[in-house]
Amino acid sequence: MVLTFVVPSYNVEDYLGRCLSSLLIEQDLSDTEILIVNDGSRDGTLALAREYESRYPNVIRVIDQQNKGHGGAVNTGVADARGMYVKVVDADDWLDMVALRNVLAELRTQAQAAAPVDLVVTNYTYEKQGKRIKKTVRYGSVMKPNTILGWNEVKRFRPDQNLLMHSLIYRTKVLREKARLELPEHTFYVDNIYAYSPLPQVRTLMYLDEDLYRYFIGREGQSVEEETMIRRIDQLIRVVRTMIDTTPERDAVPAGLYRYLIHYLTINMAIDSVFMVLSKDKENYRRKDELWAYLAEHAPEADEDVRRTVIGRLLTVRGPLGRGLIRLGYGIAHNIVGVN
């Protein structure tokens, strides 16, 4: 088995069919599987999943479990995956069919190789509801396409150019046996852990310049809405603390990997700091300081390196001036650059 698609599914009756249709593109699916993890849905998600399972019994498997949250559903899928590679596809997202054919062709080549790559990276597109112009995140400026790379061959990333769950196809062995990944249950935003903590176990990677993943955002109640993120500050903090706990020391990993980890950790420290400031809650101002103190205590080298970045310097200005700078920076990013 070459590839397992893990599809965490919770109350997605209106979206699951679109997702599955985008995965069922090949006439011969004998070397791929779709593992739908129904995470205690209360709508018609499970019935729809079972219907697809009955239509494609050799391709689709359904696991029905009590609700454990997104992380718990991903854990279940990764633990039960039969493919050499694993790709998480959230049930309200979908994949581009042409790009998927090209990616599958390369994965099949890797499956026959003496030393298959640990990680395959592809592009992803923000499918923002109500927006006609779509933003696609590509990596051609930092990784040479169609080439087996080590981390020291990877260049510097821009602030808006991150390796998210949507862009990653891990070798299953890396997640299960090397990283022993176990995401927190009943916690949002654990995809940041998924895209960060296993990377020190990745020795080789390959970038395919394919616009594969379509990331659907903007629907009401979604976890990345500003008000929703402010309400879930405690979960944002939990995720970043886990990232801090798994951050290696400088000399423990290749320099190129450590540079990227600092880049992504800085972005996540920024996200938490921004939403704690946007909340206008004095308790959250205190928690922001506590989070930075946690970084200094548990990963002192990373703390030094994060604070040296331009973003880190702005985030750690104390008092009303610092909070004003954070609000100004967020306003620019949100209204001009177009990010949340």
Side-chain angles (χ1 to χ4, degrees), residues 96-321:
D96 179 86
M97 297 183 186
V98 175
L100 180 54
R101 286 193 175 96
N102 296 333
V103 171
L104 278 171
E106 180 57 44
L107 292 178
R108 287 165 177 150
T109 298
Q110 290 300 317
Q112 299 299 318
V117 294
D118 291 331
L119 177 66
V120 173
V121 178
T122 61
N123 308 325
Y124 66 94
T125 299
Y126 288 101
E127 293 283 350
K128 192 165 187 177
Q129 190 159 297
K131 293 285 186 179
R132 297 176 62 183
I133 300 176
K134 312 298 183 183
K135 175 180 172 60
T136 298
V137 176
R138 298 185 173 92
Y139 305 95
S141 62
V142 294
M143 288 181 280
K144 183 179 180 181
N146 307 311
T147 305
I148 297 176
L149 303 170
W151 284 107
N152 287 338
E153 299 169 273
V154 176
K155 300 176 183 177
R156 293 184 181 274
F157 288 70
R158 300 189 310 268
D160 65 337
Q161 193 181 35
N162 302 293
L163 298 174
L164 301 190
M165 185 182 74
H166 321 307
S167 56
L168 304 179
I169 304 173
Y170 282 110
R171 194 151 67 105
T172 309
K173 184 177 181 179
V174 169
L175 296 181
R176 268 204 307 243
E177 299 178 24
K178 296 183 178 181
R180 296 185 180 179
L181 182 71
E182 192 74 20
L183 299 176
E185 297 180 358
H186 301 294
T187 303
F188 287 89
Y189 316 115
V190 294
D191 49 317
N192 289 304
I193 300 172
Y194 184 90
Y196 183 86
S197 297
L199 293 183
Q201 302 303 323
V202 169
R203 300 292 182 261
T204 55
L205 61 161
M206 176 180 286
Y207 167 55
L208 304 179
D209 189 10
E210 300 284 349
D211 299 347
L212 178 64
Y213 199 98
R214 322 304 284 197
Y215 177 30
F216 183 54
I217 61 173
R219 62 184 175 88
E220 186 177 353
Q222 199 166 22
S223 62
V224 293
E225 284 189 332
E226 182 177 315
E227 292 181 2
T228 303
M229 294 184 80
I230 290 173
R231 287 200 309 271
R232 294 172 177 161
I233 286 292
D234 60 329
Q235 298 185 50
L236 285 168
I237 293 172
R238 188 181 309 153
V239 165
V240 173
R241 283 193 172 203
T242 301
M243 293 171 65
I244 291 169
D245 291 341
T246 58
T247 300
E249 295 182 350
R250 286 191 199 108
D251 295 336
V253 293
L257 172 57
Y258 182 78
R259 182 175 64 234
Y260 174 74
L261 294 174
I262 293 301
H263 161 86
Y264 195 52
L265 183 59
T266 300
I267 295 298
N268 279 269
M269 291 294 293
I271 291 169
D272 282 31
S273 298
V274 163
F275 286 109
M276 283 188 271
V277 168
L278 290 178
S279 72
K280 298 181 180 180
D281 184 330
K282 290 183 178 179
E283 175 64 16
N284 282 334
Y285 298 164
R286 183 187 63 78
R287 296 173 81 186
K288 171 181 172 288
D289 292 339
E290 285 184 347
L291 181 61
W292 283 91
Y294 188 91
L295 175 62
E297 179 182 355
H298 292 266
E301 289 183 341
D303 176 64
E304 292 176 7
D305 294 323
V306 168
R307 289 174 188 266
R308 286 195 191 105
T309 66
V310 173
I311 294 174
R313 290 172 184 171
L314 291 173
L315 292 172
T316 51
V317 176
R318 300 181 68 86
L321 174 60

